[in-house]
Amino acid sequence: MNYFSEELDIEAGLKLSRLRIVLVGTSHPGNIGAAARAMKVMGLDQLHLVNPVRFPAMEATARAVGASDLLDGAEVHSELEQSIEGCSLVYGTTARNRQINWPILSPRDAALEIAQTETPVAIVFGREQAGLSNSELDLCQRSICIPTQSQFKSLNLSQAVQIMAYELRMAHLSSESQKQSPIGQEKDPLATASETQLLRTHLLAVMVSVGYYDPSYPKLLERRIGRYLNSTNLRHSEVQIVRGFLAAVEQRLGSSAL
């Protein structure tokens, strides 16, 4: 039974079209095709691939079953940074505990948050065996974990994409029906992921210049700074203010840290 009108479905579809699904280091091309099918049936069409082991491939096309147009339009990148360029929010999926306690959302909670965001969003899925590395998660503002049972956590990549795609669709349909006020439509938009990363790099460089930070003995400072910046929902103007201040510090020091 269809609980939502065609008009709501169209509006939700327009919003879903700005969401990127990013697959990192996928080893089995069949999983890429199955993920594309999972996306299309839920109205998502932006597929980005980072260093797939083998693509294009016949297995991917066979598993796509009607979603080969997503494979044809998929963007392939050599670096994760390229795949999330221009995105204001980046969510990384993880099934493992990390050394730093990342803010972790369920697929449903993440989808509800994304449905209130009007700017481009990326959801990043890691390798079938190892997931995302810590350095890759450092590029994400949020973490998503599917709450599987503790004795058997194994979940196929395309199944994980399907769960997330379903929650995204339902959240966007509900958001349209409730006419909630979206985040990110203000004149001062959320900072993009690349702007936040440039701020992080600039801040660390100035820390080196003033003798606060020694890159040869970093401990966890870089990751902690990245986590802090990613958790604050920085606006574009706020990034500009902080970078302007850092540039003034550099000028006073008579150096150019970045």
Side-chain angles (χ1 to χ4, degrees), residues 180-242:
Q180 298 170 345
S181 300
I183 298 171
Q185 280 190 324
E186 300 87 347
K187 293 181 180 179
D188 187 15
L190 292 172
T192 65
S194 60
E195 287 175 332
T196 303
Q197 291 305 316
L198 286 172
L199 173 58
R200 174 193 178 204
T201 302
H202 198 171
L203 180 58
L204 289 169
V206 174
M207 286 181 172
V208 172
S209 295
V210 300
Y212 180 82
Y213 170 52
D214 180 1
S216 65
Y217 192 63
K219 291 188 177 179
L220 292 173
L221 180 62
E222 287 192 34
R223 294 196 68 218
R224 291 187 186 279
I225 291 293
R227 181 183 181 277
Y228 169 72
L229 294 176
N230 285 336
S231 67
T232 54
N233 283 340
L234 284 168
R235 299 286 174 177
H236 173 77
S237 65
E238 294 167 341
V239 170
Q240 296 300 104
I241 290 170
V242 178

Side-chain angles (χ1 to χ4, degrees), residues 62-203:
R63 292 286 301 279
V65 190
S68 57
D69 56 323
L70 269 66
L71 300 181
D72 294 338
E75 296 190 29
V76 181
H77 310 274
S78 59
E79 301 290 341
L80 177 57
E81 290 92 335
Q82 298 168 353
S83 70
I84 61 176
E85 186 175 352
C87 292
S88 295
L89 286 175
V90 181
Y91 294 74
T93 58
T94 181
R96 298 186 289 120
N97 292 326
R98 306 288 173 155
Q99 190 170 359
I100 291 180
N101 293 324
W102 294 89
I104 298 178
L105 302 174
S106 70
R108 184 159 300 173
D109 289 340
L112 290 171
E113 184 176 79
I114 292 169
Q116 296 305 300
T117 307
E118 289 292 324
T119 50
V121 174
I123 303 168
V124 185
F125 295 82
R127 301 157 189 83
E128 290 96 332
Q129 300 300 321
L132 295 170
S133 67
N134 284 337
S135 61
E136 289 164 343
L137 273 175
D138 285 344
L139 299 174
C140 305
Q141 284 93 347
R142 307 279 194 278
S143 294
I144 299 173
C145 182
I146 297 173
T148 56
Q149 65 143 329
S150 58
Q151 286 76 27
F152 190 71
K153 294 184 177 182
S154 178
L155 190 66
N156 180 268
L157 172 61
S158 63
Q159 293 173 335
V161 172
Q162 183 72 83
I163 290 171
M164 195 66 232
Y166 169 78
E167 293 293 352
L168 287 167
R169 182 170 185 78
M170 294 305 294
H172 279 75
L173 285 169
S174 296
S175 176
E176 283 302 309
S177 66
Q178 296 170 19
K179 297 297 182 183
Q180 298 170 345
S181 300
I183 298 171
Q185 280 190 324
E186 300 87 347
K187 293 181 180 179
D188 187 15
L190 292 172
T192 65
S194 60
E195 287 175 332
T196 303
Q197 291 305 316
L198 286 172
L199 173 58
R200 174 193 178 204
T201 302
H202 198 171
L203 180 58

Side-chain angles (χ1 to χ4, degrees), residues 238-254:
E238 294 167 341
V239 170
Q240 296 300 104
I241 290 170
V242 178
R243 293 205 65 185
F245 168 73
L246 294 174
V249 171
E250 291 173 328
Q251 186 175 16
R252 180 60 62 93
L253 291 173

